[in-house]
C-alpha cells in the first residue's frame, strides 16, 4: 500500500495513474520552453556585446552624475 500524499493545507491528494499522466506533451513543452529561454539569453548577450559602447559606462561620468544629483538636492 502506498503512502498517502497531502497538500500544504492537509487535504489528501489523490494518486495519479501514470498511464493517464501527460508525459510526452509536458516533456515537449518543457524542452521547447527551455530552448526558447536560452535562445533569448544568448540573443540578448550577443546584442549587448555588439552594441556596447565603452565610453557610455565610464566611472567618471557616474561620479559626475552623482555629484550633480547631490548638488541639486
Amino acid at each position: 500500500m502506498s503512502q498517502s500524499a497531502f497538500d500544504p493545507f492537509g487535504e489528501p491528494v489523490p494518486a495519479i495513474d501514470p498511464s493517464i499522466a501527460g508525459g510526452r506533451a509536458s516533456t515537449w513543452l518543457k524542452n521547447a520552453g527551455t530552448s526558447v529561454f536560452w535562445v533569448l539569453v544568448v540573443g540578448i548577450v550577443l546584442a549587448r556585446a555588439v552594441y556596447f559602447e565603452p565610453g557610455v559606462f565610464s566611472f567618471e561620468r557616474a561620479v559626475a552624475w552623482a555629484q550633480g544629483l547631490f548638488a541639486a538636492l
Side-chain angles (χ1 to χ4, degrees):
M1 185 165 167
S2 65
Q3 294 274 341
S4 297
F6 295 94
D7 69 1
F9 300 105
E11 296 292 323
V13 178
I16 298 175
D17 186 15
S19 63
I20 18 179
R24 283 185 64 140
S26 65
T27 302
W28 183 85
L29 283 173
K30 182 185 78 160
N31 290 339
T34 303
S35 300
V36 168
F37 172 78
W38 284 113
V39 165
L40 285 173
V41 167
V42 168
I44 290 169
V45 168
L46 285 176
R48 293 282 308 242
V50 168
Y51 295 109
F52 180 72
E53 296 179 24
V56 174
F57 299 108
S58 66
F59 183 71
E60 291 81 19
R61 285 187 64 189
V63 170
W65 180 83
Q67 287 175 345
L69 180 66
F70 287 129
L73 294 176

